[in-house]
Amino acid sequence: MSVPDAPLPIGEFSRLTWLSPKALRLYERRGLLVPDTVDAYTGYRYYRRSQAERARTIALLRRVGMPLERIGAVLEAAGDERRALLDAYRADVVRAHQRAVALLDGLAGGLSDGRPSPEGDAPTVSGRDVAAQPFVSRTVRTTVADLPSHIERAAAGLSQSAGAAADRSRPLVVVYHGEVGWESDGPVEVCVPVTDASHADGVEPAGSELFVDVPYGEVQFPTILRSFDAVRGAAARAGRRPSGSPREIYLDGDPFRCQVAQRYVRDLD
């Protein structure tokens, strides 16, 4: 007669949960699914049948692509907190899908087919004067693969810490202090405007900038680089040199309503 929750060796637990021993060892190393006991002499690992539900939850979350560190947070949460974490990940997945679809639409439309774009298809660069703006900021290092999620998390944390001082009438700004690519990791500075300089990490002085409204399908790497190139080229033709790092400006909290901008000074010679 079998004991309902008797210890199961890793091979049997693997067959029960449809997780390979290799995966089980990985989840053990990451602290997601620790064996009930480990034999001190043989190193054999034993699990309880009652751990199968946790194992299957991990497998399901991995199937939808959730990173292991986020899985750990979900497993430790309960009730409304767990639902909030799952809802946040679902929103990330939806945005990633929208970005992928937009990129495919752009490719189908010939934006990246290897041929030079017609002159009339170049982004329209405009200029404007901007007022001084106090801000709170956080600097992160990230490659493009994780850039959107890093921006979102940093912006949410900054807005929460700023509280009532956050200026929700002004857009989020992301300043690129270094190159960000598939292997390059910035850094980038995420800046949330505030209404009171006494709550600010810094104040950006008034000045002038060139900017481009980025088409919906290009608000992602590498298609957004076309807008950065357009701003850089317009500044060079007008005899203006940068004063500060290039930036993205996100309008109304919408990850697809974006401008690329560059502050500049006018050369005197």
Side-chain angles (χ1 to χ4, degrees), residues 100-112:
V101 169
L103 180 56
L104 290 170
D105 288 345
L107 290 169
L111 293 177
S112 302

Side-chain angles (χ1 to χ4, degrees), residues 128-130 135 173 175-177 189 203-210 231-232 235-236 239-247 261-267:
R128 63 189 171 200
D129 294 325
V130 289
F135 62 88
V173 177
V175 183
Y176 288 81
H177 296 296
E189 183 180 10
V203 178
E204 186 162 49
S208 299
E209 66 185 15
L210 296 174
V231 169
R232 188 180 300 112
R240 295 164 179 171
R241 52 187 172 83
S243 64
S245 301
R247 63 196 56 211
Q262 173 70 67
R263 294 292 181 97
Y264 65 86
V265 293
R266 187 182 298 276
D267 285 339

Side-chain angles (χ1 to χ4, degrees), residues 73-97:
V74 170
L75 293 174
E76 296 307 314
D80 290 343
E81 183 184 1
R82 175 176 285 195
R83 181 177 296 278
L85 291 171
L86 292 172
D87 286 345
Y89 182 69
R90 181 183 185 278
D92 288 347
V93 170
V94 169
R95 279 192 291 271
H97 176 71

Side-chain angles (χ1 to χ4, degrees), residues 29-51:
R29 290 196 301 271
R30 301 298 292 268
L32 300 177
L33 186 63
V34 179
D36 182 66
T37 57
V38 178
D39 189 285
Y41 296 100
T42 65
Y44 291 167
R45 287 154 170 78
Y46 296 89
Y47 294 83
R48 297 282 181 178
R49 189 176 295 271
S50 57
Q51 292 180 279

Side-chain angles (χ1 to χ4, degrees), residues 161-261:
S161 62
D167 187 351
R168 305 188 189 282
S169 68
R170 303 292 296 271
L172 171 72
V173 177
V174 178
V175 183
Y176 288 81
H177 296 296
E179 182 181 350
V180 176
W182 297 118
E183 298 178 351
S184 307
D185 63 351
V188 301
E189 183 180 10
V190 181
C191 302
V192 169
V194 293
T195 56
D196 186 350
S198 65
H199 291 84
D201 294 326
V203 178
E204 186 162 49
S208 299
E209 66 185 15
L210 296 174
F211 71 97
V212 160
D213 288 308
V214 184
Y216 175 91
E218 296 185 36
V219 186
Q220 58 193 314
F221 185 88
T223 50
I224 197 170
L225 297 180
R226 201 168 74 104
S227 295
F228 282 98
D229 290 343
V231 169
R232 188 180 300 112
R237 290 191 295 274
R240 295 164 179 171
R241 52 187 172 83
S243 64
S245 301
R247 63 196 56 211
E248 292 171 353
I249 300 170
Y250 289 90
L251 308 174
D252 302 328
D254 186 336
F256 290 108
R257 290 199 62 216
C258 176
Q259 295 175 338
V260 163

